[in-house]
Amino acid sequence: MLTFVAMSDRLASDQAAAELIEQAPPVRIFTMLGRFWPYCRSRRAVLAFVLVLSVVQPALDVAEIWLFKLLVDNVLVPESFSGFPPIAAAYIVLTLLGGFVSYVDDVLSEWLSQRFLTDLRADVFRHMQGLSMDFFENRRIGDLISRLTGDVTAIETFLVSGLRDGTSYALRLVAYTVAIFLIQWQLALVSFLVVPLLWLVSRHFARLIKIASRERRRRAGSLSVVAEEALSNAVLVQGYNRQQWEIERFQRQAEAKYHAEMAATRLRALFTPLAETTELMGALAVIGLGTWQLSNDQLSIGGLLVFLTFLAGLYVPVRGLSRITASAYSASAGAERVIELLEQAPGVQQSRFPRTLVHPKGHVYFDAVSFRYPSRGDWALDRVTLSIPPGRTLALVGASGAGKSTLAKLLMRFYDPDIGRILLDSVDIRDLDLSCLRGNIAAVLQETLVFDGTIRDNIAYGKLGATDTDIVAAARSADAHQFITALPDGYDTRIGERGRRLSGGQRQRIAIARAMIRDAAVLILDEPTTGLDAESAYRLTAPMRRLMVGRSTILISHSLLITRDAAEIVVLSQGGITERGTHDELLRRNGTYCELWRHAAFDGPRKAETGDRR
């Protein structure tokens, strides 16, 4: 106990590690059972059959041990071979039957465990997919993955495997208890003197193991966070020569996890000899009394040997039940983290009676919208009113942090406005079905988001059931078909994680093709040329203009070369509108937009000798 306290103090002193993952609120065992039992309920018949097999297995074990008594008393002691053949035949039958029962039990138990894991993980993942952007902006992805994998496994270990093993241990305890009382009730009473002591020792250590397990699960999440961040930002790490810093950061988390693991291991290692010593005390008392009874012809040698065998088997389920108690505490540590995740409610709620749009025109209206992010006190948007008629383009310009991208996030309902409303075809988007709303919006974002799949898969991601004809047509419209067909595997070329095997311009053209194939009524272009060189940005102009045709478009860009053709240009500053009008109107006003225009450099694209750069 002192060792564990000292170790806990050392862990608490690691401030850097402690800041990564917070401790989840504690839950009771019965709360965990009530929360996750429904994942077993649908397979009650199989579970009941597995529990029946748990009854059969101890009965077979008792029968085999009893045969040993018959072998000693009826064959070995009297030196009579006549009783050996039936006993040998019974041994063979019991062994074959036990093997069959064990096989069926193992297969069905594993099936139950894997179905539990699959269903629970799928539900946790489904729940995370329904959470709003504010949740992911305040959470570590590595920790979420750790909860989805290791913590869910800990719950299964107790709830499914623990239920089966617990039933088996309990029945074995009953069977062995009955057997030793049938053999010699005085010896049985002596042997049971140590059981309460063994149970108390087990319960004490189980509570300590719960504390260690909670810390171990938290440290596992922290380690996953550091590894995920360092590996996903390898370019940044190596570009700034921070490999050693990341190694040391990972090492600190690994050391913290090591101390948590060692604390739990020391507790388990200390429990084992204490439990064995307690069992030995009972066994020695039984051997002493049994030897005296044997010398007084009150017990046969076969009876004493079988009694000791049953006694050894009796202590095993007692220890097994205590281990299940410990695993319950360990599982509760994982359950705390999973339940905390499942109790997170989406910041954006679906309407109870959602409406849909059959043939949306794409008329977007921001009606006196004000909004501030949960973690900030100032307003990101302040009483903004905008109207984008069907098929028209509205350009948003202004300094970084002016609120341009926030308008796009509100339109896609990543957040809801604090004041005001947003209408799509005269319907408040909070009353629209979320899938309907987002299904009618296509977006090309500043950060080009692609998957580690083929080019074909990434373009088809914009439309369920997209055909090859649709994919090629979208790629042609995005000026991507030529470079795609020049690749060794064409449309089946894998682009790597985050599209790292392609240039920035190529990734963005795939994103445009994905928006093309969606064919949505509303289009959001959020800084689509940021990070591209002049030529790549220029080459995107034509496909973007084709994408904008016939769609209500919100164009967010610092490049006034792209925004000047918009039907209306709105200048934002500190969340409010300072200017609005056409390009020519704003130039005549000689205000902020005119100043931005004067400072813009329009040298035109520089032609690269080898085409689109990598």
Tab-separated table of all heavy atoms in Angstrom, residues 109-153:
chain	number	residue	atom	x	y	z
A	109	SER	N	-18.112	-18.711	-26.157
A	109	SER	CA	-17.714	-17.597	-25.288
A	109	SER	C	-16.965	-16.529	-26.081
A	109	SER	O	-17.195	-15.326	-25.902
A	109	SER	CB	-16.840	-18.104	-24.141
A	109	SER	OG	-17.551	-19.000	-23.326
A	110	GLU	N	-16.070	-16.964	-26.952
A	110	GLU	CA	-15.336	-15.999	-27.778
A	110	GLU	C	-16.275	-15.267	-28.732
A	110	GLU	O	-16.117	-14.061	-28.977
A	110	GLU	CB	-14.229	-16.709	-28.556
A	110	GLU	CG	-13.315	-15.791	-29.343
A	110	GLU	CD	-12.508	-14.865	-28.447
A	110	GLU	OE1	-12.354	-15.177	-27.248
A	110	GLU	OE2	-12.038	-13.831	-28.952
A	111	TRP	N	-17.266	-15.996	-29.272
A	111	TRP	CA	-18.256	-15.359	-30.159
A	111	TRP	C	-19.026	-14.277	-29.411
A	111	TRP	O	-19.214	-13.168	-29.922
A	111	TRP	CB	-19.207	-16.415	-30.699
A	111	TRP	CG	-20.244	-15.858	-31.629
A	111	TRP	CD1	-20.112	-15.586	-32.958
A	111	TRP	CD2	-21.598	-15.501	-31.274
A	111	TRP	NE1	-21.287	-15.077	-33.466
A	111	TRP	CE2	-22.212	-15.011	-32.457
A	111	TRP	CE3	-22.339	-15.543	-30.107
A	111	TRP	CZ2	-23.537	-14.579	-32.482
A	111	TRP	CZ3	-23.654	-15.101	-30.119
A	111	TRP	CH2	-24.244	-14.629	-31.298
A	112	LEU	N	-19.449	-14.604	-28.183
A	112	LEU	CA	-20.152	-13.605	-27.375
A	112	LEU	C	-19.269	-12.395	-27.094
A	112	LEU	O	-19.719	-11.245	-27.208
A	112	LEU	CB	-20.597	-14.226	-26.051
A	112	LEU	CG	-21.867	-15.078	-26.059
A	112	LEU	CD1	-22.031	-15.753	-24.702
A	112	LEU	CD2	-23.092	-14.231	-26.382
A	113	SER	N	-18.016	-12.662	-26.747
A	113	SER	CA	-17.109	-11.561	-26.423
A	113	SER	C	-16.888	-10.650	-27.620
A	113	SER	O	-16.953	-9.422	-27.510
A	113	SER	CB	-15.766	-12.116	-25.932
A	113	SER	OG	-15.932	-12.874	-24.759
A	114	GLN	N	-16.631	-11.259	-28.779
A	114	GLN	CA	-16.353	-10.458	-29.971
A	114	GLN	C	-17.589	-9.699	-30.447
A	114	GLN	O	-17.479	-8.557	-30.916
A	114	GLN	CB	-15.807	-11.349	-31.091
A	114	GLN	CG	-14.449	-11.943	-30.796
A	114	GLN	CD	-13.411	-10.866	-30.487
A	114	GLN	OE1	-13.369	-9.828	-31.134
A	114	GLN	NE2	-12.566	-11.128	-29.502
A	115	ARG	N	-18.773	-10.315	-30.326
A	115	ARG	CA	-19.987	-9.590	-30.720
A	115	ARG	C	-20.220	-8.404	-29.776
A	115	ARG	O	-20.626	-7.322	-30.205
A	115	ARG	CB	-21.203	-10.512	-30.688
A	115	ARG	CG	-21.256	-11.590	-31.746
A	115	ARG	CD	-20.955	-11.093	-33.126
A	115	ARG	NE	-21.687	-9.874	-33.470
A	115	ARG	CZ	-21.425	-9.143	-34.551
A	115	ARG	NH1	-20.441	-9.505	-35.370
A	115	ARG	NH2	-22.119	-8.061	-34.810
A	116	PHE	N	-19.970	-8.601	-28.495
A	116	PHE	CA	-20.102	-7.516	-27.527
A	116	PHE	C	-19.156	-6.374	-27.884
A	116	PHE	O	-19.561	-5.203	-27.928
A	116	PHE	CB	-19.802	-8.036	-26.123
A	116	PHE	CG	-19.870	-6.989	-25.045
A	116	PHE	CD1	-21.052	-6.760	-24.372
A	116	PHE	CD2	-18.748	-6.227	-24.714
A	116	PHE	CE1	-21.123	-5.782	-23.372
A	116	PHE	CE2	-18.816	-5.254	-23.727
A	116	PHE	CZ	-20.004	-5.041	-23.063
A	117	LEU	N	-17.888	-6.719	-28.138
A	117	LEU	CA	-16.906	-5.697	-28.478
A	117	LEU	C	-17.299	-4.962	-29.752
A	117	LEU	O	-17.229	-3.732	-29.832
A	117	LEU	CB	-15.526	-6.342	-28.650
A	117	LEU	CG	-14.815	-6.795	-27.378
A	117	LEU	CD1	-13.586	-7.608	-27.720
A	117	LEU	CD2	-14.440	-5.602	-26.518
A	118	THR	N	-17.712	-5.711	-30.772
A	118	THR	CA	-18.063	-5.102	-32.052
A	118	THR	C	-19.248	-4.158	-31.907
A	118	THR	O	-19.229	-3.024	-32.400
A	118	THR	CB	-18.383	-6.189	-33.088
A	118	THR	OG1	-17.237	-7.045	-33.249
A	118	THR	CG2	-18.718	-5.578	-34.437
A	119	ASP	N	-20.286	-4.613	-31.222
A	119	ASP	CA	-21.493	-3.795	-31.080
A	119	ASP	C	-21.237	-2.547	-30.242
A	119	ASP	O	-21.686	-1.446	-30.594
A	119	ASP	CB	-22.620	-4.619	-30.452
A	119	ASP	CG	-23.105	-5.734	-31.365
A	119	ASP	OD1	-22.736	-5.717	-32.561
A	119	ASP	OD2	-23.830	-6.620	-30.894
A	120	LEU	N	-20.525	-2.710	-29.122
A	120	LEU	CA	-20.278	-1.560	-28.264
A	120	LEU	C	-19.370	-0.551	-28.957
A	120	LEU	O	-19.621	0.657	-28.912
A	120	LEU	CB	-19.661	-2.012	-26.935
A	120	LEU	CG	-19.339	-0.896	-25.930
A	120	LEU	CD1	-20.568	-0.037	-25.656
A	120	LEU	CD2	-18.788	-1.475	-24.632
A	121	ARG	N	-18.306	-1.039	-29.606
A	121	ARG	CA	-17.414	-0.113	-30.315
A	121	ARG	C	-18.162	0.626	-31.417
A	121	ARG	O	-17.957	1.827	-31.622
A	121	ARG	CB	-16.230	-0.876	-30.909
A	121	ARG	CG	-15.165	-1.237	-29.891
A	121	ARG	CD	-13.847	-1.585	-30.535
A	121	ARG	NE	-12.864	-1.926	-29.521
A	121	ARG	CZ	-12.307	-3.120	-29.375
A	121	ARG	NH1	-12.642	-4.099	-30.212
A	121	ARG	NH2	-11.427	-3.348	-28.433
A	122	ALA	N	-19.013	-0.102	-32.135
A	122	ALA	CA	-19.778	0.535	-33.212
A	122	ALA	C	-20.696	1.616	-32.648
A	122	ALA	O	-20.824	2.707	-33.233
A	122	ALA	CB	-20.585	-0.507	-33.978
A	123	ASP	N	-21.334	1.347	-31.510
A	123	ASP	CA	-22.231	2.343	-30.915
A	123	ASP	C	-21.467	3.549	-30.385
A	123	ASP	O	-21.928	4.692	-30.509
A	123	ASP	CB	-23.047	1.707	-29.789
A	123	ASP	CG	-24.245	0.934	-30.319
A	123	ASP	OD1	-24.461	0.942	-31.543
A	123	ASP	OD2	-24.960	0.305	-29.517
A	124	VAL	N	-20.302	3.300	-29.776
A	124	VAL	CA	-19.491	4.418	-29.290
A	124	VAL	C	-19.024	5.271	-30.469
A	124	VAL	O	-19.076	6.506	-30.423
A	124	VAL	CB	-18.282	3.909	-28.473
A	124	VAL	CG1	-17.352	5.056	-28.108
A	124	VAL	CG2	-18.755	3.210	-27.199
A	125	PHE	N	-18.593	4.616	-31.532
A	125	PHE	CA	-18.143	5.340	-32.724
A	125	PHE	C	-19.302	6.102	-33.360
A	125	PHE	O	-19.159	7.251	-33.787
A	125	PHE	CB	-17.529	4.359	-33.725
A	125	PHE	CG	-16.888	5.029	-34.908
A	125	PHE	CD1	-15.656	5.644	-34.793
A	125	PHE	CD2	-17.515	5.049	-36.143
A	125	PHE	CE1	-15.057	6.276	-35.879
A	125	PHE	CE2	-16.939	5.675	-37.238
A	125	PHE	CZ	-15.701	6.285	-37.104
A	126	ARG	N	-20.465	5.460	-33.408
A	126	ARG	CA	-21.661	6.126	-33.956
A	126	ARG	C	-22.009	7.364	-33.121
A	126	ARG	O	-22.381	8.410	-33.664
A	126	ARG	CB	-22.828	5.144	-33.981
A	126	ARG	CG	-24.102	5.703	-34.643
A	126	ARG	CD	-25.221	4.685	-34.622
A	126	ARG	NE	-24.865	3.478	-35.369
A	126	ARG	CZ	-24.599	2.307	-34.814
A	126	ARG	NH1	-24.652	2.157	-33.498
A	126	ARG	NH2	-24.289	1.267	-35.550
A	127	HIS	N	-21.890	7.227	-31.805
A	127	HIS	CA	-22.184	8.365	-30.929
A	127	HIS	C	-21.200	9.505	-31.192
A	127	HIS	O	-21.609	10.681	-31.250
A	127	HIS	CB	-22.107	7.921	-29.471
A	127	HIS	CG	-22.344	9.025	-28.489
A	127	HIS	ND1	-23.597	9.529	-28.218
A	127	HIS	CD2	-21.476	9.745	-27.717
A	127	HIS	CE1	-23.504	10.493	-27.324
A	127	HIS	NE2	-22.222	10.648	-27.004
A	128	MET	N	-19.926	9.176	-31.352
A	128	MET	CA	-18.938	10.218	-31.611
A	128	MET	C	-19.205	10.913	-32.935
A	128	MET	O	-19.003	12.126	-33.068
A	128	MET	CB	-17.527	9.617	-31.603
A	128	MET	CG	-17.020	9.268	-30.213
A	128	MET	SD	-15.247	8.953	-30.171
A	128	MET	CE	-15.154	7.394	-31.057
A	129	GLN	N	-19.676	10.156	-33.933
A	129	GLN	CA	-19.968	10.763	-35.224
A	129	GLN	C	-21.109	11.772	-35.130
A	129	GLN	O	-21.214	12.679	-35.955
A	129	GLN	CB	-20.330	9.681	-36.253
A	129	GLN	CG	-19.171	8.805	-36.671
A	129	GLN	CD	-18.099	9.583	-37.413
A	129	GLN	OE1	-18.378	10.321	-38.341
A	129	GLN	NE2	-16.856	9.424	-36.974
A	130	GLY	N	-21.971	11.628	-34.134
A	130	GLY	CA	-23.085	12.541	-33.981
A	130	GLY	C	-22.788	13.756	-33.121
A	130	GLY	O	-23.641	14.641	-32.986
A	131	LEU	N	-21.579	13.816	-32.545
A	131	LEU	CA	-21.232	14.955	-31.696
A	131	LEU	C	-20.826	16.159	-32.537
A	131	LEU	O	-20.384	16.019	-33.677
A	131	LEU	CB	-20.098	14.566	-30.742
A	131	LEU	CG	-20.454	13.485	-29.721
A	131	LEU	CD1	-19.233	13.094	-28.907
A	131	LEU	CD2	-21.586	13.949	-28.799
A	132	SER	N	-20.974	17.328	-31.955
A	132	SER	CA	-20.719	18.564	-32.684
A	132	SER	C	-19.226	18.881	-32.711
A	132	SER	O	-18.420	18.280	-32.004
A	132	SER	CB	-21.492	19.712	-32.037
A	132	SER	OG	-22.864	19.393	-31.944
A	133	MET	N	-18.898	19.883	-33.535
A	133	MET	CA	-17.497	20.239	-33.727
A	133	MET	C	-16.839	20.732	-32.447
A	133	MET	O	-15.637	20.527	-32.256
A	133	MET	CB	-17.386	21.318	-34.806
A	133	MET	CG	-17.629	20.830	-36.218
A	133	MET	SD	-16.438	19.570	-36.756
A	133	MET	CE	-17.460	18.083	-36.654
A	134	ASP	N	-17.608	21.376	-31.561
A	134	ASP	CA	-16.999	21.885	-30.339
A	134	ASP	C	-16.432	20.760	-29.482
A	134	ASP	O	-15.447	20.939	-28.761
A	134	ASP	CB	-17.989	22.727	-29.537
A	134	ASP	CG	-19.250	21.945	-29.177
A	134	ASP	OD1	-19.512	20.918	-29.818
A	134	ASP	OD2	-19.979	22.368	-28.258
A	135	PHE	N	-17.038	19.568	-29.560
A	135	PHE	CA	-16.522	18.431	-28.800
A	135	PHE	C	-15.134	18.035	-29.312
A	135	PHE	O	-14.194	17.871	-28.517
A	135	PHE	CB	-17.481	17.246	-28.919
A	135	PHE	CG	-16.933	15.959	-28.360
A	135	PHE	CD1	-16.973	15.705	-27.002
A	135	PHE	CD2	-16.354	15.005	-29.190
A	135	PHE	CE1	-16.458	14.531	-26.471
A	135	PHE	CE2	-15.831	13.833	-28.678
A	135	PHE	CZ	-15.887	13.599	-27.314
A	136	PHE	N	-14.992	17.908	-30.619
A	136	PHE	CA	-13.714	17.463	-31.188
A	136	PHE	C	-12.643	18.539	-31.078
A	136	PHE	O	-11.446	18.224	-31.016
A	136	PHE	CB	-13.911	17.066	-32.654
A	136	PHE	CG	-14.777	15.856	-32.828
A	136	PHE	CD1	-16.109	15.990	-33.175
A	136	PHE	CD2	-14.281	14.591	-32.621
A	136	PHE	CE1	-16.921	14.879	-33.327
A	136	PHE	CE2	-15.079	13.470	-32.766
A	136	PHE	CZ	-16.401	13.614	-33.117
A	137	GLU	N	-13.047	19.796	-31.040
A	137	GLU	CA	-12.067	20.864	-30.902
A	137	GLU	C	-11.473	20.916	-29.503
A	137	GLU	O	-10.425	21.528	-29.301
A	137	GLU	CB	-12.721	22.210	-31.245
A	137	GLU	CG	-13.031	22.357	-32.733
A	137	GLU	CD	-13.848	23.599	-33.035
A	137	GLU	OE1	-14.216	24.305	-32.066
A	137	GLU	OE2	-14.121	23.847	-34.219
A	138	ASN	N	-12.116	20.266	-28.533
A	138	ASN	CA	-11.638	20.284	-27.148
A	138	ASN	C	-11.195	18.913	-26.660
A	138	ASN	O	-10.996	18.727	-25.460
A	138	ASN	CB	-12.747	20.821	-26.225
A	138	ASN	CG	-13.079	22.271	-26.494
A	138	ASN	OD1	-12.259	23.148	-26.274
A	138	ASN	ND2	-14.269	22.532	-27.004
A	139	ARG	N	-11.053	17.963	-27.575
A	139	ARG	CA	-10.654	16.606	-27.188
A	139	ARG	C	-9.419	16.160	-27.959
A	139	ARG	O	-9.169	16.610	-29.075
A	139	ARG	CB	-11.798	15.620	-27.472
A	139	ARG	CG	-13.010	15.841	-26.593
A	139	ARG	CD	-12.751	15.405	-25.167
A	139	ARG	NE	-13.878	15.654	-24.300
A	139	ARG	CZ	-14.190	14.883	-23.270
A	139	ARG	NH1	-13.471	13.814	-23.001
A	139	ARG	NH2	-15.221	15.189	-22.505
A	140	ARG	N	-8.675	15.254	-27.339
A	140	ARG	CA	-7.501	14.659	-27.978
A	140	ARG	C	-7.927	13.403	-28.740
A	140	ARG	O	-8.541	12.500	-28.168
A	140	ARG	CB	-6.461	14.280	-26.926
A	140	ARG	CG	-6.041	15.431	-26.021
A	140	ARG	CD	-5.018	16.305	-26.682
A	140	ARG	NE	-4.433	17.246	-25.743
A	140	ARG	CZ	-3.190	17.699	-25.829
A	140	ARG	NH1	-2.423	17.317	-26.823
A	140	ARG	NH2	-2.732	18.571	-24.954
A	141	ILE	N	-7.580	13.359	-30.011
A	141	ILE	CA	-7.988	12.225	-30.844
A	141	ILE	C	-7.379	10.922	-30.330
A	141	ILE	O	-8.036	9.876	-30.295
A	141	ILE	CB	-7.586	12.467	-32.310
A	141	ILE	CG1	-8.282	13.729	-32.847
A	141	ILE	CG2	-7.953	11.262	-33.166
A	141	ILE	CD1	-9.783	13.670	-32.781
A	142	GLY	N	-6.114	10.966	-29.893
A	142	GLY	CA	-5.479	9.758	-29.385
A	142	GLY	C	-6.208	9.184	-28.182
A	142	GLY	O	-6.349	7.973	-28.039
A	143	ASP	N	-6.703	10.061	-27.306
A	143	ASP	CA	-7.443	9.604	-26.132
A	143	ASP	C	-8.779	8.991	-26.543
A	143	ASP	O	-9.206	7.979	-25.969
A	143	ASP	CB	-7.676	10.770	-25.174
A	143	ASP	CG	-8.469	10.364	-23.950
A	143	ASP	OD1	-8.060	9.398	-23.276
A	143	ASP	OD2	-9.510	10.986	-23.673
A	144	LEU	N	-9.449	9.568	-27.526
A	144	LEU	CA	-10.717	9.002	-28.004
A	144	LEU	C	-10.495	7.613	-28.585
A	144	LEU	O	-11.299	6.703	-28.376
A	144	LEU	CB	-11.342	9.920	-29.049
A	144	LEU	CG	-11.785	11.315	-28.557
A	144	LEU	CD1	-12.362	12.119	-29.705
A	144	LEU	CD2	-12.793	11.187	-27.422
A	145	ILE	N	-9.404	7.436	-29.309
A	145	ILE	CA	-9.094	6.114	-29.871
A	145	ILE	C	-8.817	5.113	-28.759
A	145	ILE	O	-9.239	3.948	-28.818
A	145	ILE	CB	-7.894	6.214	-30.831
A	145	ILE	CG1	-8.279	7.057	-32.054
A	145	ILE	CG2	-7.423	4.831	-31.267
A	145	ILE	CD1	-7.123	7.345	-32.984
A	146	SER	N	-8.115	5.572	-27.715
A	146	SER	CA	-7.840	4.690	-26.578
A	146	SER	C	-9.130	4.248	-25.896
A	146	SER	O	-9.271	3.079	-25.500
A	146	SER	CB	-6.930	5.412	-25.570
A	146	SER	OG	-6.694	4.607	-24.429
A	147	ARG	N	-10.095	5.144	-25.769
A	147	ARG	CA	-11.378	4.779	-25.165
A	147	ARG	C	-12.136	3.802	-26.061
A	147	ARG	O	-12.803	2.896	-25.566
A	147	ARG	CB	-12.218	6.041	-24.933
A	147	ARG	CG	-11.576	7.021	-23.970
A	147	ARG	CD	-12.484	8.187	-23.648
A	147	ARG	NE	-11.748	9.238	-22.925
A	147	ARG	CZ	-12.263	10.010	-22.008
A	147	ARG	NH1	-13.533	9.884	-21.667
A	147	ARG	NH2	-11.542	10.942	-21.405
A	148	LEU	N	-12.023	3.995	-27.347
A	148	LEU	CA	-12.744	3.150	-28.288
A	148	LEU	C	-12.168	1.737	-28.339
A	148	LEU	O	-12.869	0.792	-28.708
A	148	LEU	CB	-12.697	3.791	-29.678
A	148	LEU	CG	-13.586	3.230	-30.777
A	148	LEU	CD1	-15.052	3.345	-30.424
A	148	LEU	CD2	-13.302	3.935	-32.095
A	149	THR	N	-10.920	1.566	-27.971
A	149	THR	CA	-10.263	0.264	-28.069
A	149	THR	C	-10.046	-0.356	-26.689
A	149	THR	O	-10.788	-1.233	-26.267
A	149	THR	CB	-8.932	0.398	-28.822
A	149	THR	OG1	-8.122	1.428	-28.210
A	149	THR	CG2	-9.179	0.781	-30.285
A	150	GLY	N	-9.045	0.136	-25.961
A	150	GLY	CA	-8.676	-0.495	-24.694
A	150	GLY	C	-9.751	-0.441	-23.629
A	150	GLY	O	-9.990	-1.427	-22.923
A	151	ASP	N	-10.430	0.694	-23.498
A	151	ASP	CA	-11.442	0.811	-22.445
A	151	ASP	C	-12.653	-0.074	-22.718
A	151	ASP	O	-13.232	-0.656	-21.795
A	151	ASP	CB	-11.883	2.268	-22.303
A	151	ASP	CG	-10.761	3.146	-21.768
A	151	ASP	OD1	-9.973	2.650	-20.955
A	151	ASP	OD2	-10.670	4.320	-22.168
A	152	VAL	N	-13.055	-0.171	-23.976
A	152	VAL	CA	-14.167	-1.065	-24.323
A	152	VAL	C	-13.780	-2.516	-24.049
A	152	VAL	O	-14.602	-3.309	-23.558
A	152	VAL	CB	-14.574	-0.866	-25.796
A	152	VAL	CG1	-15.558	-1.942	-26.232
A	152	VAL	CG2	-15.194	0.509	-25.988
A	153	THR	N	-12.541	-2.886	-24.326
A	153	THR	CA	-12.076	-4.253	-24.048
A	153	THR	C	-12.130	-4.554	-22.554
A	153	THR	O	-12.502	-5.664	-22.148
A	153	THR	CB	-10.643	-4.433	-24.569
A	153	THR	OG1	-10.618	-4.189	-25.980
A	153	THR	CG2	-10.140	-5.844	-24.293
